[in-house]
Amino acid sequence: MKKLLWAIVFITAAFAVSGCARVRPWEREHLADPIMRLDSHKEEKAVREHFLATREGSVGSFGVSGGGCGCN
Amino acid sequence: MAAISTRARRAVLAVLSMAMVLLSTGARAEDYTTAQAYLHAFDNGVTVYTGVFALNRDFNLDTSLYFKYNVDLINPDFFSEGGGGGDGDSLSGGSAVAAVSGASSAVSSGGVSDTRHEINGGVTHNFDNLFGVEAYVDFSHEQDYNSLTPSITLTKDLFDKNTTLSFGYSRNIDRISGQFIGSTQSRDTDNFYIGLTQVLSPVTVAQIGYARSESRGLMIEGIRLVPLGSVSASTCTVESATCVDEVAPSSRSRNSYMAGISHYYPGDGESFAARSALKLFFRYYDDDWDITSYTAEVEWDKYLDDDLVLGLMYRYYNQSRAFFVKDTYVAGDLYKSASPQLLSFDSHLAGVRLAYNIPGSSGGKGLRLGTIEGKYQFYTQSIGVNAHVMMASFNLLF
């Protein structure tokens, strides 16, 4: 229950800051730059998540595929 | 594939049906194809070669299709004499499993060799700018582990696309047949995700997310043996009265909270930070096995010139151990584990990458045909694992 409350607080706080900024499409040159991506390419991310998920106890956040001996 | 249940097939059919519906009606993603090669070299001799090929193709203005094939060659015979093995295992005592492979000595000392194939296909569709849908199916196969993962994500843009909400669900349908398991057993995991991406300014964007996973079934892989009492793990190669199977709780609930921010430093190159992006990422995790983890990551990418990007990254990770993990087990213990993943440890990952953006024929800043990239990373754990990771990739836009 405590975790759920934290999740609600977390999401509510996020909504609270939503709408603070209205950046127009013509102001997004830098936001669209590939180096601004919070995630690397999904293929690269999948390889990394699989590598880490087979060595660390808190597996990837969203459905890491495969398992086995954890050699990779 | 035969081991996958009827329920799993129904889940796949449901996702594929949804994909067909989407295609029949209409993510404006860019068309691209990518080929990547990875080398993961561990300090106990285990080497993994990975090849990835992916293709993303717009079907129309609102729909794109995606296909990916991934192969992992684990200690392949054709590159080495003997194919690696468990030499140099730096753990000791009750935890003396092969730190790199995660397997017991029974597996690693024999120079384990395996191949993992993974196929992923999916569709992304944008419904009249109201919301987007991404549906994927992923299938992974190796000798002792099959995994089928259908997933679906809904995205909704708000406030002139300054805010994006994401809701995701995926289901891992795993069939496990490790050498110390009598017959194939199952593990099913439901994953839920909610995320929010918020543009804060023309140069700053932030992202937060919450994910929850519920797993049921066999929570071990059947590839490790647990030494009892004073028995050395290095001698635990076959099941016996003193080398027994792992036993873990039959369910696990996980929560993770994530936050990230990316900031761009504009400029024309006079200052050190000009034309670079700084990204920070934090993650907190806990589960009902009493594992708590903290992850902090920083990444800095800098244009050295119009076409060349230098990237530096560092990741710190810390976790506590599962509640049933002990240094020494006795036969009467309800749960037993030899998995290094359930221990308490820190890890560090640091890396550098260099990417060359191939200029487009029409020239101009930002127009490119593709990217050639190379990357090196070093991974180390406080319980003894060290790994060198190298990657080369070629990405072509069309």
Side-chain angles (χ1 to χ4, degrees):
Chain A
M1 191 62 187
K2 188 179 171 186
K3 305 297 179 192
L4 185 62
L5 280 175
W6 272 111
I8 291 170
V9 169
F10 197 57
I11 298 301
T12 304
F15 271 107
V17 302
S18 300
C20 291
R22 284 292 178 93
V23 177
R24 304 299 177 189
W26 56 87
E27 298 175 314
R28 299 187 180 195
E29 176 190 356
H30 300 313
L31 294 174
D33 195 304
I35 69 171
M36 281 288 282
R37 288 184 184 180
L38 279 164
D39 280 335
S40 52
H41 285 292
K42 57 185 171 186
E43 297 83 16
E44 194 174 337
K45 182 184 176 190
V47 171
R48 189 177 109 148
E49 292 241 327
H50 188 70
F51 166 72
L52 293 173
T54 51
R55 326 221 109 62
E56 299 177 348
S58 61
V59 294
S61 56
F62 191 50
V64 172
S65 179
C69 76
C71 296
N72 181 31
Chain B
M1 191 67 178
I4 302 297
S5 69
T6 303
R7 194 169 50 172
R9 284 196 289 269
R10 284 177 182 160
V12 174
L13 282 173
V15 171
L16 290 176
S17 300
M18 184 174 294
M20 293 306 293
V21 169
L22 298 175
L23 286 173
S24 66
T25 61
R28 293 190 179 95
E30 58 189 5
D31 287 347
Y32 71 87
T33 183
T34 187
Q36 301 176 347
Y38 294 83
L39 168 67
H40 293 81
F42 301 92
D43 60 359
N44 73 343
V46 174
T47 306
V48 181
Y49 301 87
T50 298
V52 179
F53 171 78
L55 175 67
N56 193 90
R57 178 74 171 153
D58 284 351
F59 185 74
N60 58 38
L61 276 179
D62 292 312
T63 306
S64 63
L65 303 175
Y66 179 76
F67 170 80
K68 183 185 80 170
Y69 172 68
N70 181 116
V71 60
D72 295 327
L73 305 172
I74 301 152
N75 284 336
D77 294 332
F78 52 82
F79 275 126
S80 60
E81 297 174 11
D87 295 342
D89 188 343
S90 55
L91 294 183
S92 59
S95 300
V97 295
V100 170
S101 70
S104 71
S105 300
V107 175
S108 62
S109 61
V112 59
S113 181
D114 199 355
T115 302
R116 185 176 80 97
H117 300 277
E118 181 189 2
I119 295 174
N120 184 301
V123 59
T124 302
H125 183 76
N126 184 19
F127 284 93
D128 297 327
N129 284 324
L130 292 175
F131 65 95
V133 178
E134 297 178 20
Y136 295 94
V137 177
D138 186 285
F139 178 67
S140 169
H141 168 79
E142 56 194 292
Q143 282 179 17
D144 58 359
Y145 207 110
N146 286 341
S147 181
L148 182 65
T149 308
S151 66
I152 187 163
T153 302
L154 305 178
T155 58
K156 172 66 178 170
D157 292 326
L158 300 168
F159 311 121
D160 295 335
K161 296 190 176 182
N162 283 279
T163 303
T164 302
L165 279 174
S166 302
F167 303 92
Y169 169 75
S170 71
R171 184 178 180 87
N172 298 107
I173 303 156
D174 296 351
R175 298 296 175 262
I176 304 152
S177 51
Q179 63 173 294
F180 301 124
I181 301 174
S183 60
T184 300
Q185 299 199 37
S186 65
R187 178 196 307 155
D188 294 335
T189 303
D190 293 305
N191 307 288
F192 305 90
Y193 172 78
I194 180 171
L196 184 147
T197 303
Q198 176 66 43
V199 173
L200 298 176
S201 79
V203 291
T204 309
V205 61
Q207 194 174 62
I208 61 167
Y210 166 72
R212 181 173 178 85
S213 293
E214 300 279 352
S215 300
R216 301 161 301 282
L218 187 72
M219 305 303 287
I220 61 167
E221 282 76 40
I223 54 174
R224 305 179 189 91
L225 293 175
V226 180
L228 299 181
S230 58
V231 173
S232 168
S234 60
T235 62
C236 240
T237 55
V238 293
E239 290 178 271
S240 67
T242 53
C243 294
V244 299
D245 293 338
E246 288 185 305
V247 183
S250 59
S251 67
R252 192 172 179 186
S253 297
R254 315 165 201 246
N255 299 285
S256 57
Y257 307 82
M258 296 150 280
I261 190 166
S262 181
H263 181 78
Y264 189 89
Y265 295 90
D268 287 327
E270 290 301 319
S271 73
F272 180 72
R275 297 193 68 202
S276 71
L278 182 66
K279 286 166 271 191
L280 303 173
F281 178 80
F282 303 94
R283 180 173 181 261
Y284 169 77
Y285 166 97
D286 66 20
D287 64 28
D288 60 359
W289 287 11
D290 285 353
I291 290 181
T292 299
S293 79
Y294 301 88
T295 307
E297 185 168 345
V298 58
E299 186 176 334
W300 184 65
D301 290 313
K302 159 84 175 167
Y303 280 101
L304 298 179
D305 65 27
D306 282 349
D307 302 316
L308 200 59
V309 177
L310 171 70
L312 304 173
M313 66 80 59
Y314 170 73
R315 174 185 182 270
Y316 171 75
Y317 174 84
N318 168 277
Q319 76 169 51
S320 60
R321 70 182 186 178
F323 73 89
F324 54 88
V325 167
K326 300 164 66 176
D327 293 333
T328 307
Y329 293 92
V330 296
D333 285 328
L334 179 59
Y335 302 121
K336 306 176 189 70
S337 171
S339 171
Q341 293 171 260
L342 303 182
L343 299 174
S344 172
F345 64 86
D346 299 336
S347 75
H348 304 269
L349 177 70
V352 58
R353 75 180 185 96
L354 201 58
Y356 174 69
N357 295 326
I358 306 166
S361 56
S362 58
K365 190 187 289 186
L367 294 175
R368 57 195 172 104
L369 287 176
T371 306
I372 299 171
E373 183 174 342
K375 182 174 78 174
Y376 169 78
Q377 292 180 334
F378 181 70
Y379 179 78
T380 181
Q381 279 184 347
S382 58
I383 55 174
V385 176
N386 294 308
H388 301 276
V389 182
M390 281 162 270
M391 185 273 274
S393 76
F394 177 66
N395 183 46
L396 184 65
L397 306 176
F398 57 91

